[in-house]
Amino acid sequence: MARIRTLSCSCRPGGAAPLLLAASALVAAPAAPAGQEPVGATMDRLYAPVEIGADVAALPATERAALARIVDAARVMDALFLEQVWPGNPTVLMALEGDRSPAGRARLDYFLVNKGPWSRLEGDRPFLPGVPAKPAGAGYYPPDAGRDEVAAWFDGLTGDESQAATGFFTTIRRGPGGDLRAVPYSVEYQGALAVAAGHLRAAADLTAEPSLARYLRSRAAAFASNDYYDSDVAWMQLDSAIEPTIGPYEVYEDGWFNYKAAFEAFVTIRDDEETAQLARFGAELQGLEDALPIDPAYRDPQLGALAPIRVVNVVFTAGDANSGVQTAAFNLPNDERVIRDHGSKRVMLRNVQEAKFRHVLAPIAAVALPAAARTDVSFQAFFTHILMHELMHGLGPQEVTVDGRATTVRQALREASSVIEEAKADISGLWALHRLIDRGVIDRSLERSIYTTFLASTFRSIRFGINAAHGRGVAIQLNTFLDAGAVTVDAEGRFAVDHARIRDAVEGLTRRLMTIQAHGDYDAAVEVLETLGVVRPEVQRVLDRLGDVPVDIRPRYVTAEALAAER
């Protein structure tokens, strides 16, 4: 892992002394609670160390210098995300930095992997003594507030006040009289955002790529204005060898409502050849939307104008993008206004996907599948389904009407929205792949492979934990397949696809999840999570046999290290 030894923090005054005392107690405590393995052993068991880098040799010196400054800005996202996860994180980090023992170094490394003192791949188990349970509302809401109080406050707001409070880019704090109020990120995280903005403007001055300079300057301005619309559009229109994504995006960390966006960064280099090969998929999106297996009234007759697809290789990631499980691809922005006006961009992280397939998925297939099915597992099927997953995030219901009130799927389904959306993207991705195979857009040789590779990958995702949106979303799909007989389990506990039944099961679940979204049906979404988002005994038996297979990768960003060494 590329260690970030110094993180700039925007710590707020108040409560620092008690936290510092608590952090000092952490450092003085034993390396691990009694009966618990050392954190270094946990990290080695859960994560396969890999070197991640990209070819930047063709970049002119000025572009390499700009790339280095973008990495500098990305590092600030680590500090911001730490504070968003838990306000106590910066103080605990300072205490861990002071422990130079081998056990202390291991705890610091694992803290940085998880962006806090909770093991994300073990159900957020605390691995440092004396820390509280991981707060479900993260650091977005007052520590003395309960979910019900905040939900009731949200429900009582209207108009612009409601939009600000439930929007992506505000925290909720108490005013002097104890009342709740929304605080813009530009105020809450002002100091750190100013530092990040300075790095972005410096990079913009160095680059000769006009679209990159425009994105960097507009994103720096958004950090101060709290209005991200123009910079999201600039990111959609980015046409540069350097492809950065930096700012507040995903809402998974907000376990209460999935409203608040977490800071993250992906610093990447575009793979022009692979990007050109996938460009044809963008032209298929409206046809897929028009054929979705839902009531035609819920289809969008005119998707956003842009749907760019980029294949990139990662140079560096930070914040929410580098917390526990490594992201393999993403579809952004999440702002429904931008999606409505301009569509969304799909970004495939090819070098990360290759590492996951080699170190994690192929070994899982050898355990979970019968020998006859393993030959159907391929990187091409893995890569193509991930692409289709990201494409399908932008299709289906987005803005809906619930009880006569215009809202969004995200706001209507609240904390259930991320799980339902991830399950929808997965399952409708399989539906779309088969439809494109029928139309000759994708070679029919992948027909068996896409289902078998996805089946093996369900065990990979469930190992992330059903407390995570991706893991629970996959559990919903696998249990649906089992109930429909579309996936079978043999006497040795190995799983296989019934290719005569799988397509109908895929279409049925696609219809069910998208209809829940179209109705904004919170109760139906929760029912799906509670009845299908579980690990059944036959699945657990396979998971128990995967003890020697890492759950995910732990990258060391060698290109970013080389850029830093050039200074």
Side-chain angles (χ1 to χ4, degrees):
M1 175 185 177
R3 295 176 182 175
I4 304 170
R5 289 302 186 193
T6 309
L7 299 177
S8 59
C9 301
S10 56
C11 306
R12 294 184 302 277
L19 277 172
L20 187 58
L21 290 173
S24 300
L26 294 179
V27 172
Q36 183 174 302
E37 71 178 346
V39 294
T42 300
M43 184 155 59
D44 291 342
R45 172 171 55 83
L46 295 177
Y47 297 96
V50 298
E51 292 188 350
I52 295 291
D55 185 0
V56 298
L59 293 179
T62 54
E63 298 303 310
R64 290 169 66 93
L67 181 61
R69 294 304 296 264
I70 295 169
V71 171
D72 289 340
R75 293 184 189 278
V76 180
M77 300 301 106
D78 267 333
L80 287 166
F81 183 62
L82 276 173
E83 189 171 349
Q84 288 183 309
V85 171
W86 179 47
N89 266 338
T91 305
V92 173
L93 173 61
M94 286 190 290
L96 291 173
E97 285 274 9
D99 184 354
R100 297 293 173 179
S101 69
R105 296 295 85 192
R107 283 188 288 173
L108 174 60
D109 284 346
Y110 202 48
F111 178 93
L112 294 174
V113 164
N114 289 281
K115 299 299 185 289
W118 303 280
S119 182
R120 290 177 180 266
L121 291 183
E122 297 179 298
D124 292 325
R125 171 186 65 80
F127 60 84
L128 293 179
V131 299
K134 189 173 185 290
Y140 300 117
Y141 304 98
D144 64 342
R147 182 190 181 281
D148 290 345
E149 179 191 359
V150 178
W153 179 68
F154 283 153
D155 290 341
L157 299 175
T158 59
D160 291 344
E161 286 188 338
S162 176
Q163 287 297 317
T166 62
F168 290 110
F169 312 126
T170 59
T171 58
I172 306 304
R173 300 293 179 235
R174 291 204 187 276
D179 57 315
L180 297 175
R181 58 184 59 185
V183 178
Y185 280 7
S186 56
V187 174
E188 180 83 12
Y189 308 115
Q190 182 176 6
L193 289 176
V195 173
H199 290 308
L200 294 184
R201 286 191 292 267
D205 291 342
L206 288 164
T207 183
E209 297 275 4
S211 66
L212 177 59
R214 178 181 172 228
Y215 168 63
L216 297 173
R217 291 194 176 100
S218 61
R219 184 46 49 112
F223 286 161
S225 70
N226 216 50
D227 184 350
Y228 286 84
Y229 184 91
D230 287 344
S231 59
D232 276 343
V233 174
W235 179 77
M236 289 286 297
Q237 298 171 342
L238 185 61
D239 184 14
S240 167
I242 300 171
E243 177 91 17
T245 305
I246 183 167
Y249 285 106
E250 303 290 7
V251 298
Y252 306 119
E253 201 66 26
D254 178 4
W256 274 1
F257 304 103
N258 288 171
Y259 284 174
K260 304 305 177 184
F263 284 98
E264 64 181 347
F266 298 90
V267 183
T268 70
I269 301 296
R270 189 174 65 193
D271 184 324
D272 289 333
E273 181 178 350
E274 290 288 341
T275 294
Q277 289 183 15
L278 295 185
R280 70 189 191 278
F281 286 100
E284 301 295 330
L285 295 184
Q286 187 65 60
L288 291 171
E289 176 76 18
D290 294 342
L292 288 174
I294 55 175
D295 187 317
Y298 303 143
R299 301 172 187 158
D300 188 343
Q302 187 173 0
L303 296 174
L306 296 177
I309 301 170
R310 299 286 186 265
V311 182
V312 302
N313 288 303
V314 169
V315 172
F316 188 77
T317 65
D320 192 30
N322 189 9
S323 59
V325 175
Q326 296 298 310
T327 299
F330 56 89
N331 171 69
L332 292 173
N334 287 324
D335 189 327
E336 294 88 358
R337 299 172 305 157
V338 182
I339 294 171
R340 180 186 62 240
D341 297 342
H342 299 280
S344 57
K345 185 195 295 187
R346 285 77 173 177
V347 182
M348 304 285 285
L349 311 180
R350 187 175 180 89
N351 54 350
V352 173
Q353 291 181 29
E354 289 172 338
K356 285 173 176 277
F357 184 85
R358 183 171 64 254
H359 292 279
V360 181
L361 182 55
I364 285 175
V367 174
L369 307 183
R374 294 171 203 160
T375 56
D376 287 336
V377 177
S378 71
F379 175 73
Q380 188 59 38
F382 180 61
F383 178 83
T384 308
H385 178 258
I386 292 174
L387 168 66
M388 201 54 59
H389 170 108
E390 299 304 332
L391 290 173
M392 296 308 292
H393 271 308
L395 274 62
Q398 307 283 338
E399 296 180 327
V400 298
T401 300
V402 180
D403 297 329
R405 180 174 60 89
T407 185
T408 65
V409 171
R410 175 181 62 88
Q411 291 171 324
L413 300 189
R414 291 191 165 177
E415 78 280 2
S417 65
S418 289
V419 177
I420 296 297
E421 177 61 25
E422 293 303 327
K424 160 241 169 168
D426 261 349
I427 199 70
S428 64
L430 292 175
W431 169 85
L433 280 172
H434 211 137
R435 183 170 179 83
L436 294 178
I437 288 171
D438 288 345
R439 296 186 59 247
V441 178
I442 295 175
D443 193 276
R444 190 162 290 278
S445 63
L446 279 180
E447 185 171 9
R448 290 180 62 88
S449 184
I450 58 170
Y451 294 119
T452 302
T453 302
F454 178 74
L455 175 59
S457 193
T458 61
F459 293 98
R460 181 185 68 91
S461 297
I462 289 174
R463 294 178 84 203
F464 300 159
I466 61 169
N467 61 308
H470 295 82
R472 198 166 192 183
V474 162
I476 288 168
Q477 295 166 83
L478 182 53
N479 290 331
T480 298
F481 294 159
L482 289 167
D483 290 344
V487 165
T488 60
V489 186
D490 66 18
E492 296 181 343
R494 300 185 189 275
F495 284 57
V497 173
D498 185 328
H499 290 276
R501 297 185 177 185
I502 189 70
R503 191 170 186 179
D504 286 345
V506 165
E507 183 168 319
L509 185 56
T510 298
R511 180 181 301 107
R512 181 180 185 183
L513 296 180
M514 285 194 176
T515 301
I516 287 172
Q517 291 182 319
H519 293 168
D521 193 336
Y522 174 80
D523 291 338
V526 170
E527 180 184 7
V528 168
L529 267 61
E530 291 179 348
T531 59
L532 293 172
V534 298
V535 177
R536 292 182 179 174
E538 61 268 41
V539 175
Q540 185 61 53
R541 284 190 285 271
V542 174
L543 299 178
D544 291 342
R545 299 202 303 268
L546 295 174
D548 293 332
V549 179
V551 177
D552 202 49
I553 60 170
R554 175 164 53 96
R556 176 188 170 195
Y557 293 116
V558 292
T559 303
E561 291 178 2
L563 289 169
E566 290 179 3
R567 294 179 170 180

